Structures are given as C-alpha cells and as structure tokens.
C-alpha cells in the first residue's frame, strides 16, 4: 500500500508539474502577443486621434476609421474578394513556376562545378535587374494578358530559391559525402537522404524569400498593365485620389504576405525539429 501511495503521489506531482509548464508556456505566448501588438496599436491610436483633431489631410492620410469603412464597403460589394482571388492565383502560379525552376537550377549548379561556371555568372547578372526595368519588355514581348504578369512574378521568385538552394548544397559537410560513398549510395539516394535534408534550412529560407519577392513582382505586374487584382485596385484608386482604397490594398498585401510567410515558418518549424540552434531566449 505504501508503494502504491508513493506512485500515486509521484503521478500527481508529475501532472502538477506538466500543468505548471503548460501555464508558463501559455503566459509567455500571451506576453509575446501583447508585446507584438503594443507598437502598432499605439501608432493607430495616435494616427486616429490626430486625424479627428484635424491635424491630418484626409485626402493624403485618411484615418484608420475611414480605411476600415472602405475595407468593409469593398468586402460587402465583393470587389475586394474578386481582386484578391485574382492576385493570389497569379502569385501562386508565378511562385510555382519561378520557384520550381529555381530549385531545379540550384540543385544542378550546386552539384556541378561545370554548370556553375557555365550559367551562374549570367544568372547573377540577371538577378540584379529590377522589376521596373524589365516589366515594359515583358509587356512588349508577351502582351497585356496573364502570361506577362505570371512570367514577371516567376522571374522574381526564381532567384531566391536558386541562390539559397545552391548555397545549401555547397554548405553540406564534405565528410557526409565520404560516408555516402562508403555506404555506396546511388546519386538519387545521395540527393534524397543526404543533400536535401542537410540543405533544407537554406531551401526553406529561399522559399520564404521567394514568396516575398513574388508578391513584390505581383504589385509591379498589376500596376504596369492590368484590369484586375489588388495592384490594379491600388493604381485605379491612386488616379481617382481615393487614398483610403490605396491603404486598403497596401494593408491586404501586407497581411497576405505575412500569412504566407507564417505558413512557411510553421512548415520550417515542423521539418527542422532536429535542428539544435539558438532561439534567442537568452536575450530580453
């Protein structure tokens, strides 16, 4: 009976310790959330108060209240959802096209020194070309239809994944390749079981950067020549001097970009559980 009582007591202590760790983790997450909201909410409050006091020109800088009203109106009319769905589809196609080719090119160049000498200098030169410089050429070559927009987005999405995949492969410890040769891995086994897992942090970083650049390319593509999309909505509102709609479009781009980045970070966290790296807990 004593042994049974001791086991029950230890079990209760373990349950209490687990609940305490859960509460501690929840409180830390709550504090982090409040800290992240403190600055933007404070800025919004100052902005709204300054606008209500007449210190801001509503044509140049509408108050957050007016922007919310415009957002509700665009949402209720269905216009915002339509433009957002068009933009999201373009960004997805451009990212899949450019990112997929960038991943394949990074693998090829990363494994082959000859391929690096052959195409990497040219690709590095093309990487420095800004979207605004090549957008008129894309429109001239491919017209005003979807092809020019998707290809312009793909052009931006290509390079982050290419560069990070290439660097990820070249940063793999050479001793691992010696182990693979001893185990008589085939080239496919070497890629899937050795190189890709070791270079995955760089590849996922490339995915995050590639998605961000895809959204930037989307803005340029839709503002240069388009009749739909969030970029078109912003450009049309700019011509009509409806600044509140411009702010709605900008906020939509920021929110959707943040959500996609958070999804990739969540995927990164799940795929890289094995990684033991510094998380920043030691500095407040």
């Amino acid at each position: 009976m004593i042994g049974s009582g001791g086991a029950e007591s230890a079990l209760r202590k373990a349950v209490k310790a687990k609940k305490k760790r859960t509460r501690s983790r929840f409180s830390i997450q709550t504090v982090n959330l409040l800290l992240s909201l403190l600055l933007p909410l404070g800025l919004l409050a100052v902005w709204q108060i300054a606008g209500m006091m007449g210190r801001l020109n509503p044509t140049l800088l509408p108050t957050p209240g007016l922007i919310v009203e415009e957002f509700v109106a665009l949402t209720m009319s269905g216009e915002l959802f339509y433009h957002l769905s068009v933009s999201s589809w373009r960004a997805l196609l451009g990212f899949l096209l450019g990112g997929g080719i960038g991943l394949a090119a990074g693998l090829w160049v990363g494994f082959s020194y000859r391929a690096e000498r052959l195409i990497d200098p040219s690709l590095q030169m093309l990487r420095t070309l800004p979207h605004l410089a090549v957008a008129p050429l894309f429109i001239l070559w491919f017209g005003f239809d979807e092809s020019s927009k998707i290809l312009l987005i793909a052009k931006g999405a290509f390079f982050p994944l290419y560069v990070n995949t290439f660097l990820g492969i070249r940063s793999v410890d050479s001793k691992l390749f010696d182990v693979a040769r001893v185990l008589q891995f085939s080239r496919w086994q070497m890629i899937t079981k050795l190189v890709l897992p070791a270079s995955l942090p760089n590849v996922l970083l490339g995915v995050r950067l590639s998605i961000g650049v895809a959204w930037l390319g989307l803005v340029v593509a839709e503002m240069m020549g388009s009749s739909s999309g969030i970029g078109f909505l912003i450009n049309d509102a700019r011509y009509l001097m409806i600044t509140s709609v411009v702010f709605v479009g900008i906020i939509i781009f920021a929110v959707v970009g943040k959500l996609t980045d958070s999804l990739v970070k969540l995927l990164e966290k799940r795929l890289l559980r094995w990684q033991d790296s510094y998380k920043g807990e030691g500095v407040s």
Side-chain angles (χ1 to χ4, degrees), residues 137-189:
L137 289 176
F138 275 60
I139 294 174
L140 181 64
W141 292 338
F142 306 106
F144 284 94
D145 60 2
E146 294 299 304
S147 300
S148 60
K149 300 175 184 60
I150 292 173
L151 289 174
L152 186 63
I153 296 167
K155 177 260 179 189
F158 170 86
F159 292 104
L161 253 173
Y162 163 73
V163 171
N164 282 278
T165 302
F166 167 71
L167 292 176
I169 292 173
R170 292 300 175 90
S171 64
V172 175
D173 193 342
S174 60
K175 295 178 181 178
L176 295 178
F177 288 94
D178 296 334
V179 173
R181 279 190 287 269
V182 171
L183 296 176
Q184 297 182 342
F185 277 6
S186 65
R187 191 168 185 83
W188 176 250
Q189 288 177 318

Side-chain angles (χ1 to χ4, degrees), residues 30-97:
T30 304
V31 170
N32 289 337
L33 178 62
L34 292 175
L35 287 175
S36 66
L37 293 175
L38 184 62
L39 180 60
L41 289 179
L43 291 175
L44 287 175
V46 173
W47 184 0
Q48 180 69 30
I49 293 171
M52 294 173 63
M53 293 175 63
R55 300 295 180 89
L56 302 175
N57 186 341
T59 304
L60 299 178
L61 191 62
T63 62
L66 290 175
I67 296 172
V68 171
E69 291 178 7
E70 196 68 57
F71 173 79
V72 172
L74 289 171
T75 303
M76 296 299 293
S77 66
E79 188 178 0
L80 185 62
F81 177 76
Y82 167 71
H83 289 297
L84 179 59
S85 62
V86 172
S87 294
S88 300
W89 181 245
R90 287 170 180 162
L92 177 62
L93 289 179
F95 166 72
L96 292 177
L97 177 62

Side-chain angles (χ1 to χ4, degrees), residues 197 200-201 204 267-275 279:
L200 194 58
L204 290 174
L267 177 65
E268 184 180 32
K269 186 177 180 180
R270 290 181 178 275
L271 293 177
L272 301 180
R273 289 177 177 176
W274 52 268
Q275 203 176 33
K279 304 298 182 184

Side-chain angles (χ1 to χ4, degrees), residues 91 95 131 153 156-158 160-161 204-220 253-254 256-258 260-262 264:
F95 166 72
H131 281 76
I153 296 167
F158 170 86
L161 253 173
L204 290 174
L205 174 60
V207 171
R208 290 179 62 188
L209 296 175
S210 184
I211 291 175
V213 177
W215 280 106
L216 294 177
L218 174 69
V219 176
V220 175
F253 272 128
V256 175
K258 173 59 179 173
T260 53
D261 184 73
S262 298
V264 179

